[in-house]
Each structure stands twice: as C-alpha cells, then as structure tokens.
Amino acid sequence: MRTTVGIIGAGPAGLLLARLLHHAGIDSVVLESRDRSYVEQRQRAGILEQGTVDVLRAAGAGERMEREGLRHDGIELRYDRKRHRVDFPALTGGRSVMVYAQTEVCKDLIALQLKEGGPLLFEAEALAVEGADGGSPSIRFRHEGREDVLECEYVVGCDGFWGVARKAIPEELTRVFERTYPFGWLGILADVPPSHDELVYARHDRGFALLSMRSPSVSRLYLQVPEGTDAESWGDEEIWDELERRFETDDWRLQRGPITQKSVTPMRSYVHEPMRHGRLFLAGDAAHIVPPTGAKGLNLAVGDVVTFARALTHQKETGSTELLDAYSETCLGRVWQAERFSYDMTTLLHRAPDATPFEDRLQVARLERIASSEAAETDLAEGYTGFPFG
C-alpha cells in the first residue's frame, strides 16, 4: 500500500486529520488497532473549545454537534459554600465551549471518512514506524491476520501514549517532562438530568468535585480520590453522599439517579519533545498528556492536527517546508500553555494529601481573587475557552 500521509490511530485527532487532508486534496490512510465499535464507545473528553467547534464546522463535521451539543457560556466555581459564575463570552469577546462527547465526535468523523475519505482500516495494528529519518517512511502493520507495509511520504502518530509512533524517535534525541499527581478522579455516568445547566468545579476540604453532563438526561460527575483507588470500592449511595458534601451550598441541591458506569482516571502531566523526527510527526496523547481538570486533552490534539494539515497544505501549494519544519515548535508553544493552565486548575481545586492549613488558605485566596478581579477571571476564561491554533 502507498499513500501520502499514513495516520496511526482513529481517535478524534487521526480522524479529523484525515478529514482536513481530504479537503486539501491530500490522500491518507488511517490505521486503527481496535474495531469500530470500540472506537465509537470509548469514553473520554466531553468539552470542546471554541476553536475545536469552529474546525469541526469548517470540516463539515458539525451538523449533529450543532443539533445535539450543549453550548456553555460559563462555569461555576464553588468554595466555602460560595458560588461564583465565570461568564466566558463577556470576558473573551464572545467565545464559549461545547459539551459534546468524544464518542460522538468519532462517530461523526468515521461516518464521513467511510463515505467520502480515504481508507480507514479497523483492527489494523501498527507494529513499527520505519525510515522516519529518510525520504520514504513506512508503517509496518498487521491486518486480517497478515503483515503488510504502508509506504508514505509522511507519518502522523495519533496512537496515544502507548502507541508505536513515539518509539520511532531515537531516545538520545528526546526530552521528557512529567508530573504524576497523588490523586485521581472517580468518575460516574448517571441516568439523571444534570443538577446545574453549566459545569460546576468545587474546591472542598475533603477534595475536589466536578459536575458535568453528557446530555440533558445524563450526568457525568467526578470525585477526587486517592491515587490507585478501585472504583468498585465505592458504593453508589456513598458516592452520592460525598458529592453532596463537596457541592454543598445554601441554595442548591444535587439530584440523584441510577449510576450506570464507574471508573477511576489517574492524573498526570507529560510532554515529549520534540514532536517531530524527520517525516514522523506526533499528535495528541502520543506527545502530551494533561490532567483533565482543564478539559484540554482532545482540544490539544485538534490543535496539533490543524497545525500539520496547514503546514502540509502550505508545502503542497508553495513548495516550502517552512511550516512543516516549524511543526514541533509551533505545537509546543500551545501545549505548554495548556499544561500551565491545566496545572493551575488542578492545584487550585484539588487538596493534596499532605496539604497544610497555609496551603488550604492559599487555595481559597486564589479563588477569591478570581471572583473579585476581572483580570484574573479573564485569564481563566481565555484559558478554558482555548488558546489559538498556531
């Protein structure tokens, strides 16, 4: 097999990249190790930044998002039984976010790719990227019980932290920056309408809590729990009781309902530099991971593939490799701002296991500053709604 761009991974990054390249008249092949059902049911992020929403619309993948997604113009911060709403459009010149699950983004992009795009091979396991530092890289993969080779001009690794793409970059050329947090998120899906029409981020002495949603009838909620917690060690009523404690105010009540799913998400920050080696480009979790507090993971991946698609289109139209050569530097500028924002949100709202009373008071002081200063509030709103692509 031969193509211009070999894409490893059919998550939102790989699928969107294939769509963007299709629009630019550049052929690609997408290899995905899992089956279609798994990809379309894999629960991940649910908050789309303004820039991501705009890109999906422009790519022709926004019709169902517009119909079923939930536009959110703000979030609520809670601390010391207080409530403060951050108004995004008022602080950012009209920007907002959209609640639309990654599973739904993938469904939309898969349908478009199968209808209009190039080959999308499910259950095609990438085994290795070879020749990345030469002019003709290739992807060795296994599909339908036999090994094959996809010859490319460029390879983009959208295959996540455990994928093969990053391993093709020589270790002596890389730098890794990493932080692991001593807590995780116990997340639940519940068949109950959300108890608030916007996301609620709660700082409490017992730990962080987040009220989110997947639809007008399905709630998504999270509790800070110790690192390594087993989700099944928490009973349903115990979860609801703890959520009530952490969200408690004088003028609001949490609605309970049947819990349909429980899971624990570890919290870590990770950046791999560089994001390019020869004709191999890394995108999304293959290059960087953020704690979910800032809702940046999927959106960072979108920024990466938009940057690559623009650069390759520029090379096709002008013959110049200037933007391709700058890919890693361009992406990393945005990545580190998102890492900074996610770290700030995480340390603002989560209580460390060994936190002192001094650190507790500092957290509250930081929240009071956001609630009382338009400059501080604007910084949060700009970060949450998203940093510019490239």
Side-chain angles (χ1 to χ4, degrees):
M1 296 180 67
R2 181 180 293 274
T3 190
T4 301
V5 181
I7 301 170
I8 309 174
L15 292 166
L16 178 59
L17 176 57
R19 183 70 181 167
L20 296 173
L21 295 176
H22 174 73
H23 273 208
I26 300 170
D27 62 293
S28 67
V29 173
V30 183
L31 305 176
E32 168 56 46
S33 62
R34 302 283 193 161
D35 62 26
R36 179 177 179 178
S37 175
Y38 179 90
V39 174
E40 293 186 337
Q41 295 175 29
R42 181 168 44 193
Q43 291 289 336
R44 292 291 189 273
I47 305 295
L48 307 183
E49 294 174 355
Q50 181 71 65
T52 298
V53 170
D54 294 342
V55 167
L56 290 170
R57 286 171 178 156
E63 181 181 347
R64 195 163 65 93
M65 176 187 69
E66 299 281 15
R67 188 171 65 249
E68 299 178 13
L70 306 173
R71 172 179 163 142
H72 279 203
D73 287 338
I75 58 172
E76 182 172 290
L77 301 175
R78 291 196 187 176
Y79 59 98
D80 282 0
R81 301 177 68 91
K82 300 176 183 177
R83 305 171 63 178
H84 176 75
R85 181 176 184 268
V86 179
D87 185 331
F88 293 154
L91 296 162
T92 64
R95 296 170 69 83
S96 62
V97 297
M98 180 82 75
V99 175
Y100 191 63
Q102 175 175 311
T103 50
E104 307 311 309
V105 174
C106 287
K107 288 174 188 175
D108 296 341
L109 290 170
I110 287 170
L112 285 169
Q113 183 71 7
L114 294 176
K115 179 182 178 182
E116 303 173 3
L120 167 54
L121 304 183
F122 291 103
E123 298 180 88
E125 180 188 5
L127 303 174
V129 176
E130 298 171 341
D133 52 357
S136 301
S138 62
I139 306 168
R140 192 159 45 83
F141 69 99
R142 183 184 295 112
H143 185 235
E144 295 181 342
R146 64 182 179 86
E147 283 197 20
D148 205 342
V149 175
L150 176 62
E151 298 177 351
C152 321
E153 294 180 30
Y154 304 93
V155 174
V156 182
C158 305
D159 52 344
F161 182 78
W162 301 106
V164 302
R166 191 176 65 251
K167 298 173 184 175
I169 301 179
E171 202 170 304
E172 63 271 18
L173 301 180
T174 69
R175 294 186 69 192
V176 169
F177 304 86
E178 191 170 15
R179 180 187 177 110
T180 301
Y181 298 87
F183 43 75
W185 278 10
L186 170 62
I188 64 167
L189 277 175
D191 286 337
V192 61
S195 300
H196 193 61
D197 56 2
E198 294 179 336
L199 273 69
V200 178
Y201 288 78
R203 185 267 170 205
H204 194 279
D205 286 342
R206 296 176 64 90
F208 168 75
L210 171 62
L211 184 154
S212 183
M213 66 264 325
R214 282 292 177 264
S215 74
S217 60
V218 177
S219 293
R220 183 77 160 148
L221 300 107
Y222 299 92
L223 283 171
Q224 177 187 343
V225 293
E227 181 184 19
T229 294
D230 177 6
E232 296 306 318
S233 68
W234 282 72
D236 291 7
E237 289 307 307
E238 184 182 10
I239 291 172
W240 287 117
D241 289 346
E242 189 61 27
L243 286 165
E244 278 200 348
R245 289 189 193 99
R246 299 190 192 183
F247 286 124
E248 189 175 21
T249 65
D250 295 326
D251 57 353
W252 180 90
R253 283 195 64 81
L254 179 67
Q255 301 300 312
R256 303 187 179 206
I259 294 175
T260 59
Q261 185 184 105
K262 299 178 193 175
S263 62
V264 172
T265 302
M267 305 280 281
R268 63 192 303 233
S269 301
Y270 175 91
V271 180
H272 179 282
E273 296 185 2
M275 290 176 59
R276 177 199 177 182
H277 174 61
R279 289 180 172 244
L280 167 64
F281 298 76
L282 303 181
D285 286 1
H288 43 72
I289 294 172
V290 289
T293 325
K296 292 283 159 254
L298 181 155
N299 297 289
L300 271 184
V302 169
D304 295 343
V305 298
V306 167
T307 301
F308 177 81
R310 286 176 179 170
L312 190 57
T313 301
H314 179 74
Q315 189 270 340
K316 176 188 175 185
E317 293 175 348
T318 68
S320 170
T321 63
E322 178 185 5
L323 297 185
L324 284 171
D325 294 340
Y327 172 81
S328 184
E329 182 181 357
T330 302
C331 289
L332 285 169
R334 189 169 187 270
V335 166
W336 277 111
Q337 285 301 318
E339 292 281 356
R340 187 269 309 169
F341 176 78
S342 299
Y343 174 83
D344 285 351
M345 288 285 284
T346 300
T347 57
L348 173 69
L349 296 162
H350 293 74
R351 191 173 192 276
D354 58 351
T356 64
F358 177 81
E359 290 165 322
D360 289 338
R361 292 297 292 270
L362 279 183
Q363 279 187 318
V364 174
R366 290 168 66 190
L367 286 158
E368 291 282 11
R369 175 66 177 168
I370 292 168
S372 61
S373 164
E374 184 173 325
E377 195 178 22
T378 298
D379 185 61
L380 188 156
E382 289 179 343
Y384 199 97
T385 55
F387 303 103
F389 293 151

